[in-house]
Amino acid sequence: MTGSAATAAPADALPVFGRIGADAGREAVLAHLAEAARAVRRRDIQMVHEAGQGHIGGEFSVTDILVTLYMHVLNVAPERPDDPERDRLILSKGHAAAALYTVLAARGFIGVDELRSFVQPLSRLNGHPARTKIDAVEASTGPLGHGLPIAVGTAVAAQLDGSPRRTFVVLGDGELQEGSNWEALMTAGHRRLDHLVAVVDRNRLQQGARVAQTNDLEPLADKARAFGWDVVEVDGHDHGALIDAFAAVPAASGRPTFVIAHTDKGYPVSYMRDQVSWHHKVPTAEHVQTALDELETS
Amino acid sequence: MITAPVSAERPLHDCRDAWAATLVDLARHDPRIVAVVNDSVGSSKLVGFQDEFPERLINVGIAEQDMVGVGAGLANGGKIPFVSAAACFLTARALEQIKVDAAYSQYNIKLIGQSPGMAYGELGPTHHSIEDLAWLRAIPGLTVVVPADPRETEQAIRWAAAHTGPVFVRVSRMPVPDVMPAGYEFEPGRAVLLRDGTDVTIAATGTVVSRAVEAAELAAAEGISVRLLAVPTIKPFDTEAIVRAARETRGIVTMEEATVVGGLGGAVAETVVRHQPAPVRTLGVPDEFAPTGSASWLLDHYGVSASGALEACRELLGRA
Ligand SMILES: Cc1ncc(C[n+]2csc(CCOP(=O)(O)OP(=O)(O)O)c2C)c(N)n1
Ligand SMILES: [Mg+2]
């Protein structure tokens, strides 16, 4: 290749971020996570635009949670995907796969270039994550209501082994309407799975309407407490608050931890934010440009 | 109709005893083995397991979706979970978990369908598990095993423990006689030739293999040479044995304690249509909710019996 095209970074470039430990100092950690989250959102929205598919609203609401976990909290590494003592993360709201893939690429679990294959024929990057295709995916998800029971199982296995490894499961709020979650919430509370963390992406919207108008979850914190969990409510876009919530695991109480992460669907993009219609609407080139501009200053 | 007693002279066994004893033995030698149940300790005959390995018996309560998901998670954590529950609830209530968490995720999880078929005959169709073979056979990557007697049950459980991947095993509660030959070794995907014959083939699975044996004896008495195949794995399927039967005999009668829609009969019919067209008669529960009655009464009622199979053989040979 010749000329400037060879040197200019392509518009869809994504840097690979390393994991940043607490020893770097809080300020550096937060700067690292902010930069990673911005890069992930930039890449994600372009990917969804190019693929013509995705669930961008719920991807942007969950991005900060995934970035905080993969870039700082989780004891996982691309060099040892099968380490039995790794922490487990299960993305139960599998429709946010594009956000997961982007974070995995940004953390070095999959190639950055591979993101271009999202939902293309024979791609490993299905519209929903598949365990058999990608090492870092702990469980295939897509049908809602599967992740929490599986997470309970991984946490029971760790408990049987007396292992300090932790399990994190990320759920949609609408997803909590599925009864299987409540079966698993009971089991986790009953068995005092103190190394288990459920993170609810509380963006108050589901596919077709607001959660409160569909089948309300409130009082959610009371419900989780009644099922034997410790409840922490945080701003789900505040990396520092998320770090602090996760740092308290295992809880001194011996209970599993239920993190209600208050988020906005489409965050931080103005036209998407808190809009039901952006559950799986596909952004146009113009939408993408506006979002990229807004992300620059967010 | 000739009615033949089901092996009245031979002792009958509850295959759950073989399952439970085998699991305890396996657990003694492999700490990774755990059991996951839905308030089904007694009905799975796991009281002994629970007494010996209280920590390794995970009872999630009456919560089948949770149960299968927890099993998948345990497999993720390096355990070998045997998820044991009444087949009707395990397969109907948690079908999506079986499809996604067990099969699509390819977890090393063992699903044990207790008291399948019409073992709970008198309790009615809610408690019959006659669709399980059709449902599970349609799921890629899942092995579906239907043992015929205690020996085969033990071997299937041992094989499942040693095999990496999701396996469903039906464990019969309806008493059955020993039918598999001494020295028999279970092999997935292999039909077992219990008796060679040239006129017609009977392919049977699970609890009704003993009925097929009797049918073959009755047929021999009237000069019909029956090839008898026991089919312990519905998936993977022994296509070759069925194709050979279709080529070398004049038709195939299938027998199963399941609906005629999509189970063993479906597998045989699909196989011959694709490879070696031949007449097939499928014996099982017709496409209706069964009336109340014991399992053996219901099987007789629907002609999944020695006499029913004999009649189907005669029909295939034009001797009806
Ligand atoms: C069992 C099941 N039912 C329905 C769907 C279709 N579906 C996909 S996403 C979604 C809405 C999810 O809402 P929520 O959990 O709040 O996720 P988020 O707002 O974070 O996108 C629905 C209904 C599904 N994937 N699985
Ligand atoms: Mg939501």
Side-chain angles (χ1 to χ4, degrees):
Chain A
M1 262 197 281
T2 53
S4 58
T7 47
D12 61 358
L14 178 72
V16 175
F17 293 75
R19 178 178 182 276
I20 186 163
D23 49 341
R26 189 158 176 108
E27 217 167 294
V29 169
L30 295 181
H32 184 92
L33 297 181
E35 197 43 52
R38 184 175 298 116
V40 164
R41 284 191 173 93
R42 286 175 61 90
R43 184 67 192 93
D44 185 5
I45 193 167
Q46 294 179 79
M47 187 164 125
V48 170
H49 166 68
E50 276 154 27
Q53 282 183 51
H55 292 82
I56 195 69
E59 288 160 28
F60 274 19
S61 65
V62 85
T63 297
D64 294 301
I65 295 165
L66 294 178
V67 163
T68 303
L69 286 167
Y70 275 106
M71 304 293 173
H72 178 64
V73 176
L74 295 178
N75 171 26
V76 293
E79 311 78 58
R80 44 179 182 87
D82 296 330
D83 180 356
E85 286 307 317
R86 71 190 183 279
D87 287 333
R88 306 300 202 267
L89 182 136
I90 295 161
L91 180 66
S92 193
K93 44 168 282 188
H95 57 282
L100 177 68
Y101 298 149
T102 311
V103 173
L104 289 178
R107 181 72 177 81
F109 281 97
I110 57 178
V112 169
D113 287 345
E114 192 174 356
L115 294 177
R116 293 206 184 91
S117 77
F118 176 57
V119 301
Q120 296 309 306
L122 302 178
S123 169
R124 297 195 301 164
L125 308 186
N126 287 19
H128 295 90
R131 172 182 184 258
T132 52
K133 300 181 182 173
I134 298 167
D135 284 344
V137 171
E138 298 284 355
S140 305
T141 51
L144 297 165
H146 284 242
L148 191 49
I150 297 170
V152 168
T154 68
V156 172
Q159 194 180 51
L160 286 172
D161 291 346
S163 161
R165 64 183 186 261
R166 297 164 299 172
T167 298
F168 296 83
V169 55
V170 178
L171 303 141
D173 51 0
E175 176 177 15
L176 286 174
Q177 289 157 351
E178 287 286 356
S180 52
N181 291 307
W182 300 92
E183 297 179 1
L185 284 166
M186 272 173 84
T187 309
H190 174 78
R191 304 188 78 89
R192 300 180 72 81
L193 299 176
D194 58 354
H195 285 64
L196 173 63
V197 186
V199 188
V200 179
D201 179 2
R202 185 74 170 112
N203 58 27
R204 307 174 306 286
L205 303 180
Q206 49 194 92
Q207 182 170 277
R210 306 192 75 79
V211 176
Q213 287 165 349
T214 308
N215 192 358
D216 199 6
L217 292 174
E218 292 302 331
L220 181 57
D222 291 345
K223 283 175 180 154
R225 266 187 221 107
F227 277 70
W229 291 59
D230 278 354
V231 177
V232 189
E233 303 211 34
V234 295
D235 174 347
H237 299 303
D238 179 340
H239 303 136
L242 288 165
I243 289 171
D244 294 342
F246 299 144
V249 176
S253 65
R255 296 193 180 103
T257 300
F258 194 82
V259 177
I260 302 177
H262 293 281
T263 58
D264 282 343
K265 229 159 164 165
Y267 179 91
V269 177
S270 55
Y271 61 85
M272 273 196 251
R273 206 163 163 175
D274 200 34
Q275 297 296 312
V276 174
S277 61
W278 278 98
H279 177 69
H280 54 197
K281 195 156 129 182
V282 176
T284 62
E286 208 183 328
H287 283 131
V288 172
Q289 194 49 57
T290 308
L292 293 180
D293 292 346
E294 291 188 15
L295 281 168
E296 235 21 76
T297 55
S298 71
Chain B
M1 250 220 278
I2 306 159
T3 43
V6 180
S7 299
E9 71 285 0
R10 282 186 282 175
L12 300 178
H13 313 279
D14 180 337
C15 291
R16 291 178 301 167
D17 293 321
W19 130 261
T22 306
L23 191 73
V24 167
D25 185 53
L26 286 166
R28 284 181 187 148
H29 296 100
D30 190 338
R32 295 173 301 169
I33 289 182
V34 296
V36 189
V37 297
N38 64 335
D39 193 18
S40 49
V41 177
S43 55
S44 292
K45 295 225 172 196
L46 288 176
V47 174
F49 183 99
Q50 185 175 40
D51 288 346
E52 194 167 336
F53 308 105
E55 304 282 291
R56 287 156 68 185
L57 187 287
I58 293 124
N59 188 349
V60 299
I62 310 156
E64 293 73 22
Q65 300 180 74
D66 188 30
M67 173 179 68
V68 175
V70 167
L74 284 159
N76 174 293
K79 306 296 173 196
I80 304 177
F82 279 77
V83 174
S84 174
C88 56
F89 308 130
L90 169 63
T91 61
R93 203 59 171 270
L95 188 59
E96 192 180 72
Q97 278 74 15
I98 294 175
K99 169 186 160 188
V100 179
D101 306 353
Y104 184 45
S105 271
Q106 274 296 299
Y107 268 124
N108 188 25
I109 177 173
K110 318 304 163 187
L111 304 159
I112 311 301
Q114 300 286 348
S115 308
M118 295 177 293
Y120 290 128
E122 299 88 342
L123 302 188
T126 52
H127 285 56
H128 299 169
S129 187
I130 59 170
E131 308 88 352
D132 52 356
L133 301 183
W135 290 339
L136 301 189
R137 191 170 80 77
I139 298 177
L142 182 67
T143 301
V144 180
V145 189
V146 188
D149 68 0
R151 178 175 291 130
E152 192 164 55
T153 301
E154 170 175 353
Q155 296 211 8
I157 298 298
R158 287 191 187 283
W159 175 82
H163 169 77
T164 303
V167 180
F168 173 79
V169 184
R170 254 189 174 201
V171 172
S172 171
R173 177 195 194 110
M174 187 181 101
V176 287
D178 292 309
V179 287
M180 301 312 282
Y184 163 69
E185 275 188 37
F186 168 79
E187 200 185 300
R190 186 171 66 105
V192 185
L193 185 67
L194 290 182
R195 178 181 184 128
D196 208 357
T198 50
D199 290 330
V200 64
T201 298
I202 300 178
T205 190
T207 49
V208 298
V209 171
S210 65
R211 291 168 174 247
V213 171
E214 283 173 39
E217 282 161 12
L218 293 178
E222 51 183 80
I224 299 175
S225 165
V226 169
R227 175 178 301 185
L228 180 55
L229 290 173
V231 185
T233 36
I234 303 299
K235 185 179 195 129
F237 196 60
D238 192 342
T239 303
E240 209 188 302
I242 296 302
V243 170
R244 233 181 295 122
R247 194 183 303 129
E248 295 167 3
T249 68
R250 286 161 62 194
I252 303 173
V253 177
T254 64
M255 297 176 74
E256 61 199 304
E257 191 185 346
T259 167
V260 294
V261 180
L264 171 65
V268 167
E270 289 166 19
T271 302
V272 301
V273 165
R274 284 190 191 124
H275 302 283
Q276 183 75 37
V280 173
R281 294 287 176 278
T282 55
L283 302 180
V285 180
D287 188 15
E288 66 183 32
F289 289 113
T292 190
S294 69
S296 62
W297 184 87
L298 285 164
L299 289 171
D300 289 344
H301 175 72
Y302 285 126
V304 194
S305 56
S307 56
L310 176 61
E311 226 167 69
C313 290
R314 287 191 194 126
E315 204 187 303
L316 283 177
L317 297 171
R319 297 195 198 173

